[in-house]
Amino acid sequence: VSQSRYGGDANPYEPRLIIDWYSLNFNSGNVIKYVLRYAYNTCCGKTANISDLKKAATYLNWEIEKLENNQ
């Protein structure tokens, strides 16, 4: 059961479906999750929370660091 903050079960772009479809790892999946949470709140007249974008940025930076360390 998906959470309403992502648009509910009727939303074909529900984050867990996108994450599964692309087989994203933990960091990349969280980037998608937090960006979509921010976007959903922004488009639906709810209070957009900049902390969601900050969380997305944190996970993105961790993924970049991981990739750079593996080169």
Side-chain angles (χ1 to χ4, degrees):
V1 176
S2 69
Q3 298 179 7
S4 62
R5 71 173 156 242
Y6 299 119
D9 288 327
N11 181 3
Y13 304 107
E14 210 272 325
R16 67 180 173 82
L17 299 175
I18 295 169
I19 292 165
D20 287 347
W21 176 260
Y22 287 98
S23 299
L24 297 177
N25 66 23
F26 182 79
N27 290 332
S28 299
N30 276 313
V31 171
I32 297 298
K33 176 180 77 173
Y34 286 115
V35 168
L36 289 178
R37 182 186 295 181
Y38 174 83
Y40 176 74
N41 287 332
T42 301
C43 78
C44 297
K46 298 182 180 187
T47 302
N49 193 344
I50 195 167
S51 69
D52 287 332
L53 292 180
K54 290 180 179 180
K55 290 174 188 176
T58 297
Y59 283 104
L60 182 59
N61 286 326
W62 287 344
E63 186 63 17
I64 291 168
E65 288 175 20
K66 184 175 84 173
L67 293 171
E68 287 177 338
N69 289 334
N70 289 333
Q71 288 182 352

